Amino acid sequence: MTDPLPILVVDDDAVNRDLLTRRLARRGYAVAMASSGAECLEYLSRHWVSMVLLDVQMPEMSGFEVLQAIRSTPATARLPVLMVTAKDHSDDVVMALELGADDYITKPIDFPVAFARIRTQLLRRAAEERLRESEERYALAAQGANDGLWDWQMTSGAVHYSERWAAIIGHRHEEIGNAPDEWFDRVHPEDLPRVRADIDAHVKGLTAHFESEHRVKHKTGTFRWVLARGLATRDTAGTVTRMAGSLSDITEGKVLDALTGLPNRTLLRDRLWWALERRGPQGHEPFAVLFLDLDEFKVVNDSLGHQAGDELLKAVAQRLEMSLRSTDVVTRAETHDEGPAPVQHTLARVGGDEFVVLLHHIGGVMNATRVADRIHQALARPVLVAGREVFTSASIGITISQGDGRGPDELLRDADTAMYRAKAIGKGRAEVFDVAMREQVVRQLHLD
């Protein structure tokens, strides 16, 4: 096998230099020559070579000094260098290897042995170049895909997380350790059993690859939706020794309502979890959940068509945002990369003509009803839909969370119950949930 780049032969003895050059050329190698260390370094500064055959004993500048100069220059630091020394000078061999030589050839030269060593170093260099190019392509592909990378050494338990992996959850790379718990401790409690089950299934060979959509906690305390993919490698006994893969942030596509761009039910539940985890000095920070349902929305769909209904929903979403922004902050799905996230209220569309407002630091039920009044005022003005003025109103149910043990689903259920009470009483109004409402619903269910 020949290399298109020449082998540089460096020797101050013209006879030795010419002999080695001719034998290399006869084997099909391209060859260049230098008669001194200075000439060698000058040549390397202007040309690329595949290897240097460097004589140790040279006047003015020894082979050791030339080797040190080669290794100190970034362009030639990885260049294969074989030292040529007398057979009885073993100290030269030791010194050369300590200074970074790749191998050595002894004089008088045993050419079959010399050619074998030259071939080995050229093959090694070619393999290293292919590996480097492959790693560069993989790194560029990963950067282009904007994915985080993870590499889990199953035998030692250590996991390497890339900088992008850490950035997805709002951390700098140095803030992340190398333990599996750096990942699993951040997985949402509802998702953790499923993630572990998916990994176990792949480790046991039940699935061709590992794939899992789940939530991980961001540095701000909120949750991000991610897609994790991975593949295990096994030893000859079939035991998994390593598992590596990627992590993609899929939050935006997972948690935004396609029609209005507001958070959907998925993101709302995550925000409710986050609100429940926040604990104030007395153990809980009260917050309110407002459940809105448009009155007579079906009439608009039936009379003007579903496209007109969609236009009305988008207009209502905009009005709700504006009414809340007058004193509150409405958030969509922003990523806060550094520092604690400001406490923000959430407006979400949870399906059909239903919207939910999550209000933090509400203080009490009176403040929640004031927000409901403001929403009623915003919806009182007509909306232009399909060339017609459409009037709409909303029935609103309110529930206050004050550390009473209710989870996200129970809070939404109770606010929904209060909303139906408001709709039953006369629509276009708000009602605050109380336990009696829930008991009445249960009694009605038993009666039915």
Side-chain angles (χ1 to χ4, degrees), residues 63-94:
F64 297 135
E65 294 173 309
V66 177
L67 176 60
Q68 288 178 303
I70 290 174
R71 290 291 178 251
S72 66
T73 304
T76 57
R78 296 198 303 267
L79 181 65
V81 177
L82 272 67
M83 305 301 291
V84 182
T85 183
K87 184 174 293 185
D88 56 349
H89 290 182
S90 59
D91 290 344
D92 290 348
V93 173
V94 174

Side-chain angles (χ1 to χ4, degrees), residues 11 42 46 70 127 151 168 239 288 304 312 326 339 353 370 440:
D11 198 320
E42 171 62 21
R46 295 182 289 108
I70 290 174
D151 188 351
I168 287 175
T239 303
L304 301 180
L312 177 60
S326 61
D353 59 339
R370 289 192 187 99
Q440 181 180 352

Side-chain angles (χ1 to χ4, degrees), residues 334-387:
E334 297 91 341
T335 300
H336 303 282
D337 293 329
E338 295 184 2
V343 176
Q344 297 178 319
H345 306 315
T346 299
L347 168 64
R349 180 186 175 217
V350 295
D353 59 339
E354 296 175 336
F355 297 84
V356 171
V357 179
L358 170 59
L359 299 174
H360 296 281
H361 295 310
I362 198 61
V365 68
M366 292 301 297
N367 290 331
T369 56
R370 289 192 187 99
V371 173
D373 290 341
R374 193 184 317 137
I375 290 173
H376 284 135
Q377 294 171 13
L379 297 180
R381 302 188 309 275
V383 179
L384 188 63
V385 175

Side-chain angles (χ1 to χ4, degrees), residues 121 190 215 240 253 274 276 288 316-317 323 370 385 417 431 445:
Q121 292 302 321
E190 290 184 350
R215 290 161 288 181
V240 173
W274 178 68
L276 289 168
V316 167
S323 67
R370 289 192 187 99
V385 175
T417 299
E431 288 291 321
L445 176 64

Side-chain angles (χ1 to χ4, degrees), residues 131-201:
L131 177 60
R132 181 183 59 81
E133 291 174 0
S134 176
E135 290 175 342
E136 287 179 352
R137 283 195 297 269
Y138 183 73
L140 288 172
Q143 291 174 10
N146 207 26
D147 289 344
L149 303 178
W150 52 274
D151 188 351
W152 189 355
Q153 300 293 333
M154 307 294 277
T155 51
S156 66
V159 185
H160 167 74
Y161 303 102
S162 71
E163 290 187 10
R164 175 57 186 159
W165 193 99
I168 287 175
I169 57 173
H171 287 272
R172 295 188 299 273
H173 189 250
E174 57 270 21
E175 295 174 335
I176 301 294
N178 64 349
D181 287 345
E182 293 285 358
W183 181 355
F184 298 127
D185 283 354
R186 291 180 169 87
V187 176
H188 195 286
E190 290 184 350
D191 300 340
L192 183 58
R194 175 168 47 82
V195 174
R196 289 192 179 277
D198 290 340
I199 292 176
D200 289 343

Side-chain angles (χ1 to χ4, degrees), residues 124-370:
R124 181 183 62 82
R125 174 180 177 274
E128 290 176 348
E129 286 298 314
R130 287 194 298 270
L131 177 60
R132 181 183 59 81
E133 291 174 0
S134 176
E135 290 175 342
E136 287 179 352
R137 283 195 297 269
Y138 183 73
L140 288 172
Q143 291 174 10
N146 207 26
D147 289 344
L149 303 178
W150 52 274
D151 188 351
W152 189 355
Q153 300 293 333
M154 307 294 277
T155 51
S156 66
V159 185
H160 167 74
Y161 303 102
S162 71
E163 290 187 10
R164 175 57 186 159
W165 193 99
I168 287 175
I169 57 173
H171 287 272
R172 295 188 299 273
H173 189 250
E174 57 270 21
E175 295 174 335
I176 301 294
N178 64 349
D181 287 345
E182 293 285 358
W183 181 355
F184 298 127
D185 283 354
R186 291 180 169 87
V187 176
H188 195 286
E190 290 184 350
D191 300 340
L192 183 58
R194 175 168 47 82
V195 174
R196 289 192 179 277
D198 290 340
I199 292 176
D200 289 343
H202 182 54
V203 169
K204 292 176 181 177
L206 302 178
T207 57
H209 61 277
F210 161 68
E211 184 169 313
S212 172
E213 288 187 7
H214 57 274
R215 290 161 288 181
V216 293
K217 182 176 286 188
H218 192 270
K219 186 178 182 179
T220 59
T222 58
F223 285 93
R224 306 291 295 174
W225 275 93
V226 297
L227 171 62
R229 292 190 177 102
L231 191 66
T233 58
R234 304 173 187 272
D235 59 19
T236 54
T239 303
V240 173
T241 59
R242 182 180 182 184
M243 192 171 173
S246 63
L247 192 77
S248 307
D249 189 338
I250 60 171
T251 303
E252 184 171 343
K254 191 78 176 178
V255 301
L256 294 187
D257 173 57
L259 179 64
T260 63
L262 294 173
N264 61 14
R265 182 182 291 271
T266 300
L267 180 54
L268 175 65
R269 289 187 76 254
D270 290 346
R271 295 284 171 82
L272 285 168
W273 271 109
W274 178 68
L276 289 168
E277 286 185 351
R278 292 176 61 86
R279 294 292 183 264
Q282 284 75 43
H284 188 77
E285 288 188 355
F287 60 88
V289 178
L290 281 63
F291 201 112
L292 292 75
D293 183 88
L294 299 184
D295 299 322
E296 308 298 342
F297 177 74
K298 187 175 183 298
V299 175
V300 176
N301 267 345
D302 293 344
S303 60
L304 301 180
H306 289 280
Q307 184 174 351
D310 288 347
E311 291 181 21
L312 177 60
L313 290 173
K314 288 189 285 187
V316 167
Q318 292 173 358
R319 292 216 180 159
L320 291 174
E321 286 186 300
M322 294 303 297
S323 67
L324 292 170
R325 279 177 180 160
S326 61
T327 57
D328 304 305
V329 179
V330 177
T331 184
R332 289 174 181 263
E334 297 91 341
T335 300
H336 303 282
D337 293 329
E338 295 184 2
V343 176
Q344 297 178 319
H345 306 315
T346 299
L347 168 64
R349 180 186 175 217
V350 295
D353 59 339
E354 296 175 336
F355 297 84
V356 171
V357 179
L358 170 59
L359 299 174
H360 296 281
H361 295 310
I362 198 61
V365 68
M366 292 301 297
N367 290 331
T369 56
R370 289 192 187 99

